Amino acid sequence: MAVSGIDALVERLRTTYTRVDAAQAHAESLTGALLVDIRYQALRERDGLIPGALVIERNELEWRLDPEGSHRLPEAVDHGIRVIVICNEGYASTLAAASLHALSLPNATDLTGGFQSWKAAGLPTAPSAGV
């Protein structure tokens, strides 16, 4: 019998693209990759933000990043954009990256370990200021 459930789904999805670590995400952000923070407000208020990251709630992600969508952000310029999705610990971001792939955004990926790995790596963060 095949293994099923959310853990198996996440592991299977992770075989379809290459994830990035915190240092690589930071380096890519300096050369134009979009860091997209999908954490919910309470986590952003508790732990802070990544300077320059777009804050897009998970339930709006596809609407905001689809280059053909009527509710897209100005940063959603084309299907070739590099998007690095960041959640708290790197689980929800896997599902989000897979969803972006389904929208023909093949350069979407996620941050292994999420915001917590970014913070642990000593990379820049800022207080949320009630975002």
Side-chain angles (χ1 to χ4, degrees), residues 13-20 93-95 97-98 101 106 108-110:
L13 290 172
R14 287 178 177 167
T15 67
T16 66
Y17 65 95
T18 302
R19 302 175 82 206
V20 296
S93 58
T94 294
L95 298 172
H101 290 174
T109 188
D110 72 315

Side-chain angles (χ1 to χ4, degrees), residues 45-86:
E45 289 175 358
R46 182 189 78 188
D47 294 335
L49 301 169
I50 296 172
L54 295 174
V55 174
I56 304 174
E57 296 277 342
R58 175 62 190 98
N59 63 328
E60 296 182 358
L61 183 70
E62 294 82 359
W63 297 103
R64 300 295 184 218
L65 293 181
D66 179 1
E68 297 177 24
S70 59
H71 293 87
R72 72 182 174 276
L73 293 173
E75 293 86 353
V77 293
D78 60 49
H79 289 282
I81 59 173
R82 176 66 159 171
V83 176
I84 301 172
V85 182
I86 302 166

Side-chain angles (χ1 to χ4, degrees), residues 39-48 57 88 128 130-131:
R39 294 174 301 143
Y40 53 88
Q41 184 174 350
L43 289 176
R44 295 190 313 266
E45 289 175 358
R46 182 189 78 188
D47 294 335
E57 296 277 342
N88 193 49
S128 72
V131 170

